[in-house]
């Protein structure tokens, strides 16, 4: 009996080595032990443990095939539990990522909403900016238009002044001022066309000032010339009337219309033979009141010079009285005795002496002077 | 005795028929699973599954009933493992997609916030400009 027991022990002690798969499996689960698996996959873990136990039992029994079979089963159960646990982890991760994605999407939606609001504000501000710019531009344009209109008005006034000066013949009387005015006007036009309205205003004012200066110089001279022409025309008209008297020698001299009247007196007498020859010229004097009348008495050279002078003066007085009787005021009349000092013919002949015995009625050309400013 | 043998034969045939049906089913499953994208682990597990299916067929042919039963037990467990591994791959893909989506959304949100800050700065500058305009 004892030998049987020893034999049995010997046989028992000479068990075959553990299968490699069983050793590998035991090593694998030892290093990869995870308590989470016990919570998540308890059934599979139990199946794995049970299969492992059976594998060990089979190995103890010496049944290597069964030991390997149960080892494989235990490994499969273990790996299945691991896979399912990993899947759970992955599912949890997917859920977390999905939550993160949703939060990020929500954050982006908020940002998009905020962006839309900011964009609306920017558009509103852009519109406001454009409106302000347009308003500034409109004000600037209006201001420029006002300046242009004001410059135009001043230039027109300057042009009118310049035209007035030219009409007053400032070309002859005030050429310097006129040319200055013209130059200033050209500067005003150039500045206006270039949009420099202040400069145009200044140039227009200069034009007006120079034109006014030219007018101030030319106007009295122009008026004097017109007056002179009027006087000349009147004298010519008077000449036309005067030449109708055959007893009169009529001419226009520098001093005026000279009417030489002959055979008014008897020799050495100062009494008019007739007033008929004088009357036409008294009417002429009345018709042309602007002309002063000088009555000059002349004699021939017979007799004493003093006597001739007295006689000529008396005769002039006689004729002047006719004018006074015709209501020609004494302030217009002047009598002068010239004696024989101004003969018009040769005193050597009777004819000449007859011509020298005369009274000259001079309608004095009025002196036209330009009015002083 | 004959009856018992007949019953035994019928049982054996039935068992054999049931085993064959299972083998056939697992064969079809293996074909289906082979079409799914998987990692090397799955390929290896799937290869093992197919090998064991072939083993079961061979044992079936050799009328190794016990061997067939043992192989079928392993095949069943391996099938579950392959399914679990495939589910893990799908879960990994889902997690990766979710992570990518989260990253994409995070970047989009970040870009949107940067753009908001940039446009708000532009608005502030424009506000100052409008206030200062004559």
């Amino acid at each position: 009996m004892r030998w049987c027991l020893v034999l049995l022990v010997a046989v028992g002690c000479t068990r075959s080595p553990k299968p490699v798969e069983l050793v590998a499996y035991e090593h694998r689960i030892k290093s990869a032990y995870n308590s989470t698996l016990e919570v998540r996959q308890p059934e599979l873990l139990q199946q794995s443990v049970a299969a492992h136990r059976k594998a060990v039992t089979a190995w103890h029994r010496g049944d290597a095939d069964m030991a390997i079979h149960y080892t494989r089963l235990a490994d499969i159960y273990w790996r299945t539990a691991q896979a399912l646990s990993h899947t759970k982890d992955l599912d949890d991760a997917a859920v977390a990522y999905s939550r993160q994605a949703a939060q990020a999407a929500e954050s982006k939606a908020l940002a998009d909403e905020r962006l839309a609001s900011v964009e609306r504000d920017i558009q509103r501000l852009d519109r406001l900016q454009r409106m302000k710019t347009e308003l500034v531009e409109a004000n600037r344009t209006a201001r420029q238009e006002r300046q242009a209109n004001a410059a135009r008005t001043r230039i027109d006034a300057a042009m009118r002044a310049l035209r007035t000066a030219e009409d007053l013949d400032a070309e002859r009387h005030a050429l310097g001022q006129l040319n200055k005015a013209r130059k200033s006007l050209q500067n005003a036009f150039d500045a206006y066309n270039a949009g420099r309205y202040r400069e145009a205003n200044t140039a227009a004012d200069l034009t007006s000032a120079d034109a006014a200066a030219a007018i101030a110089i030319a106007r009295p001279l122009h008026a004097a010339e017109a007056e002179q022409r009027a006087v000349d025309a009147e004298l010519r008209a008077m000449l036309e009337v005067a030449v109708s008297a055959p007893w009169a020698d009529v001419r226009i001299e520098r001093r005026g219309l000279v009417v030489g009247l002959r055979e008014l007196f008897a020799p050495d007498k100062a009494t008019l033979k007739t007033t008929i020859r004088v009357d036409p010229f008294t009417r002429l004097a009345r018709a042309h009141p602007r002309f002063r009348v000088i009555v000059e008495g002349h004699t021939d050279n017979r007799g004493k010079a003093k006597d001739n002078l007295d006689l000529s003066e008396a005769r002039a007085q006689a004729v002047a009285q006719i004018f006074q009787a015709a209501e020609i005021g004494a302030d217009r009349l002047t009598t002068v005795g010239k004696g024989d000092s101004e003969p018009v013919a040769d005193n050597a002949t009777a004819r000449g002496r007859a011509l020298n015995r005369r009274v000259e009625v001079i309608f004095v050309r009025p002196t036209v002077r330009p009015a002083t400013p | 005795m004959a009856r018992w043998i007949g019953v035994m034969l019928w049982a054996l045939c039935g068992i054999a028929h049931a085993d064959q049906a299972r083998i056939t089913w697992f064969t079809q499953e293996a074909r289906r699973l082979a079409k799914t994208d998987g990692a090397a682990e799955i390929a290896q597990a799937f290869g093992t599954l197919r090998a064991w299916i072939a083993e079961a067929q061979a044992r079936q042919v050799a009328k190794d009933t016990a061997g067939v039963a043992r192989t079928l037990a392993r095949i069943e467990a391996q099938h579950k493992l392959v399914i679990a591994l495939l589910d893990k791959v799908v879960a990994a893909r889902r997690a990766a997609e979710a992570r990518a989506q989260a990253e994409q959304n995070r970047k989009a949100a970040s870009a949107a916030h940067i753009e908001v800050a940039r446009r708000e700065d532009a608005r502030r500058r424009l506000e100052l400009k409008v206030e200062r305009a004559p």
Side-chain angles (χ1 to χ4, degrees), chain B residues 68-81:
Chain B
V68 170
R70 283 200 302 274
T71 309
L72 280 172
R74 288 202 306 275
I75 288 172
E76 189 169 353
Q78 189 74 3
H79 174 255
K80 287 181 182 171
L81 173 61

Side-chain angles (χ1 to χ4, degrees), chain B residues 3-4 11 21 41 47 58 71-72 98 102 128:
Chain B
R3 187 176 174 184
W4 183 82
E41 189 182 5
T71 309
L72 280 172
L128 285 174

Side-chain angles (χ1 to χ4, degrees), chain A residues 83 86-91 93-94 97, chain B residues 39 42 84-100:
Chain A
H86 287 162
T87 301
K88 176 75 168 62
D89 288 336
L90 289 168
D91 285 341
Y97 286 132
Chain B
I42 294 178
L85 289 175
L86 285 172
D87 286 344
K88 190 173 87 166
V89 166
V90 170
R93 194 178 308 129
R94 262 204 311 269
E97 287 172 356
R99 182 179 176 181

